[in-house]
Amino acid sequence: MTREEKSKVIEDLTAQLADTQTIYLADISGLDAGSTSNLRRACFKANVKLSVVKNTLLAKAMEAAEKDFGELPTVLKGNTSIMLSETGNAPAKVIKEFRKKSEKPLLKGAFVEEAIYVGDDYLETLVNIKSKEEVIGDIVGLLQSPAKNVVSALKSGGGKLAGILKTLSEKEG
């Protein structure tokens, strides 16, 4: 690989790191061609971009990116694949599901919404991270619940003033 080619790869990786809030580093070494193809298919279905990277080039891209990757560059040893996603837990779910049939991929580390996770021990934690949309959905559901209870109680009271007052007094008590 020429110096120009390396510079172009670093430039492309730096742009990808800058544009993505969810970055996973995994070890997929040892997977045969069929398993690798299945992993790529699973990633595609989950809207996760998977690519094998050269550690030295990724390390330079991390240095050039305007993000603090903390101790994440320390895991750049051996075989490294990068998984990029818009959803914080999508790559973790792909890894967990794939590991039901295989020992790999191993989670080396992750950068999710500026939080850094190093090591395969964090896989379950990352699977359980909720996306912003899921958190907003939970909050909206919690806010709607009391209103729905009052509306249904008012409807069950027959809509008469006595029924409404009775329902409201039961809710207070």
Side-chain angles (χ1 to χ4, degrees):
M1 187 179 275
T2 67
R3 184 174 287 166
E4 291 79 23
E5 290 171 329
K6 287 180 182 178
S7 293
K8 178 70 174 133
V9 169
I10 292 169
E11 187 179 307
D12 291 345
L13 279 171
T14 303
Q16 288 177 343
L17 296 176
D19 292 343
T20 309
Q21 289 299 314
T22 302
I23 302 160
Y24 281 61
L25 303 176
D27 177 0
I28 64 170
S29 64
L31 291 179
D32 60 27
S35 296
T36 302
S37 181
N38 289 339
L39 177 61
R40 288 188 181 281
R41 196 172 297 110
C43 286
F44 180 78
K45 285 180 183 174
N47 204 20
V48 174
K49 183 179 176 195
L50 172 70
S51 54
V52 177
V53 293
K54 192 167 169 82
N55 290 329
T56 54
L57 301 180
L58 181 56
K60 288 181 181 182
M62 286 177 148
E63 286 174 21
E66 295 184 11
K67 291 183 181 175
D68 180 10
F69 290 103
E71 60 184 296
L72 211 50
T74 64
V75 303
L76 296 177
K77 297 176 181 89
N79 182 297
T80 303
S81 295
I82 188 168
M83 301 173 85
L84 305 172
S85 175
E86 294 301 315
T87 307
N89 62 2
K93 287 181 177 181
V94 169
I95 292 171
K96 183 177 179 179
E97 185 62 31
F98 202 80
R99 291 225 315 237
K100 289 180 179 177
K101 302 173 199 146
S102 173
E103 291 180 12
K104 300 267 176 119
L106 291 175
L107 176 66
K108 294 172 99 175
F111 175 90
V112 181
E113 301 282 338
E114 299 182 16
I116 296 162
Y117 304 87
V118 175
D120 197 60
D121 297 343
Y122 284 103
L123 183 62
E124 198 61 38
T125 301
L126 290 164
V127 166
N128 293 321
I129 286 178
K130 288 190 176 193
S131 69
K132 287 179 184 174
E133 291 76 18
E134 290 171 320
V135 171
I136 290 170
D138 288 350
I139 291 170
V140 169
L142 289 170
L143 292 174
Q144 286 179 340
S145 184
K148 286 180 182 175
N149 290 342
V150 170
V151 170
S152 68
L154 291 175
K155 285 181 180 176
S156 71
K160 295 189 170 121
L161 189 55
I164 293 171
L165 291 173
K166 180 181 177 215
T167 301
L168 290 174
S169 66
E170 288 172 359
K171 290 287 178 197
E172 287 178 8

